[in-house]
Amino acid sequence: MLQRALFRGIAHFAKMLVPDSCVDYLAILWNTTLDEGCSVRLADDCVVTCSPPGSHFPGTEDRVLCIRTQSFDTLVCRAKEVIMACVLLRGSSHRPLGEKGREQGLEKQTLDGRAGIRLAVPRKVVGTVIGKGGSHIQTLRQSTQAVIHISPLFVTSEYACSERVISISANLGEFDALQQATLTLLKMVNKHPERASCQRTIYKRHE
């Protein structure tokens, strides 16, 4: 009942992949705890859920942070804080990948000397983000000069995952490019009715 009450009326959603250092920073910034894997409601009615320590998105060493809000402006504010955490701590640009991640094409997401953020997006939504012939993503790359990479879809015997990872990165001195690209992508994702179809934060091995 508590979970249903927390999620009632949630209209906007983001799933971001962040390292432990960023989770610790955000917990202090938001004056809450994010280590128990439970959903917490922040002062602006934003509901945040983070995977517990040691529970990572398949193929990465990043934890899963879900943000649910009734207002897109609130989502933008919280997303900006996550992006800033990753830039300040340079966490997401240096996280190692497991063997499964390298096999699944995620290796291009770790770029030395750059700051970055990762979004996990349902496969049904990715086509809207890419655009016909890649038009949307190419326009965004050109307008922001950010590096944007979309991983292949991976569904294996070990990881039953129907999402794709969008990696956005920019030089450490180009925070505006990173932020603009990430927020534009979140806006695209949130126009799709299936934006919140994959709300899990813990990924178990598929037996």
Side-chain angles (χ1 to χ4, degrees):
M1 293 296 293
L2 176 60
Q3 291 289 89
R4 290 182 181 178
L6 282 171
F7 299 158
R8 187 176 297 126
I10 298 302
H12 302 283
F13 179 78
K15 180 182 285 190
M16 309 177 86
L17 310 182
V18 297
D20 287 312
S21 57
C22 289
V23 173
D24 295 339
Y25 175 93
L26 292 168
I28 295 171
L29 180 66
W30 295 340
N31 192 29
T32 189
T33 177
L34 297 173
D35 279 344
E36 298 176 358
C38 299
S39 297
V40 295
R41 187 183 292 277
L42 304 182
D44 55 6
D45 279 342
C46 173
V47 178
V48 178
T49 311
C50 186
S51 60
S55 180
H56 302 131
F57 188 86
T60 78
E61 290 191 9
D62 284 335
R63 288 164 68 181
V64 182
L65 181 71
C66 289
I67 304 173
R68 307 167 180 85
T69 71
Q70 296 183 32
S71 162
F72 185 72
D73 289 340
T74 302
L75 183 68
V76 166
C77 290
R78 294 303 179 181
K80 285 181 177 180
E81 292 171 339
V82 177
I83 298 167
M84 179 60 74
C86 287
V87 170
L88 289 175
L89 301 172
R90 301 186 186 182
S92 186
S93 58
H94 296 282
R95 299 302 292 173
L97 296 169
E99 180 180 351
K100 188 61 64 176
R102 288 190 293 272
E103 291 175 0
Q104 293 159 348
L106 298 179
E107 73 282 350
K108 293 183 180 179
Q109 298 180 50
T110 50
L111 302 173
D112 291 337
R114 303 176 71 85
I117 190 74
R118 293 173 179 162
L119 306 176
V121 178
R123 63 178 179 179
K124 294 180 180 179
V125 180
V126 170
T128 300
V129 172
I130 295 174
K132 186 175 182 180
S135 58
H136 292 167
I137 206 73
Q138 290 295 345
T139 298
L140 186 57
R141 285 169 176 155
Q142 292 170 6
S143 64
T144 64
Q145 296 301 303
V147 175
I148 304 172
H149 176 256
I150 301 177
S151 72
L153 174 68
F154 54 101
V155 180
T156 74
S157 59
E158 290 188 354
Y159 301 110
C161 181
S162 59
E163 297 165 282
R164 294 174 71 175
V165 176
I166 302 178
S167 171
I168 312 101
S169 66
N171 292 328
L172 290 175
E174 298 175 349
F175 173 76
D176 288 345
L178 177 63
Q179 178 172 274
Q180 181 184 348
T182 304
L183 297 180
T184 301
L185 287 166
L186 285 176
K187 187 174 182 179
M188 290 181 183
V189 169
N190 275 275
K191 288 181 177 179
H192 198 285
E194 296 290 332
R195 58 188 174 272
S197 59
C198 295
Q199 296 194 30
R200 70 169 65 190
T201 58
I202 299 176
Y203 292 77
K204 298 180 179 180
R205 291 173 63 93
H206 179 66
E207 302 298 339

